Amino acid sequence: MNPRRLITAKLVRFGEGEKMDREFWRNVGAEGRFSAAWEMVGEVNAIRGGDGSQPRLQRSVQNIQRLPR
């Protein structure tokens, strides 16, 4: 286990789970939320029969030109 890893535990009574979730994600910060969401993208890919890797950006647009006025 990574010695710098922080594990949080808390006794949650009925109806308090949502409050604990909000607290947790607020403490994780934007980078942690984005990382968790991106990990879920790979998990959904695996559930749908893919190899579990995260998708690459689509490069369907090759050239953009501004129209003359």
Side-chain angles (χ1 to χ4, degrees), residues 4-22:
R4 296 180 357 178
R5 184 174 178 181
L6 176 65
I7 298 175
T8 305
K10 186 174 185 178
L11 175 64
V12 179
R13 301 195 192 293
F14 183 76
E16 295 179 353
E18 189 175 316
K19 179 181 175 187
M20 186 181 134
D21 286 343
R22 283 194 306 268

Side-chain angles (χ1 to χ4, degrees), residues 18-48:
E18 189 175 316
K19 179 181 175 187
M20 186 181 134
D21 286 343
R22 283 194 306 268
E23 254 179 59
F24 172 79
W25 289 112
R26 189 177 304 122
N27 290 333
V28 168
E31 187 175 328
R33 289 189 297 268
F34 185 81
S35 177
W38 196 240
E39 186 178 329
M40 286 188 281
V41 169
E43 292 172 357
V44 168
N45 184 359
I47 290 170
R48 291 183 177 168

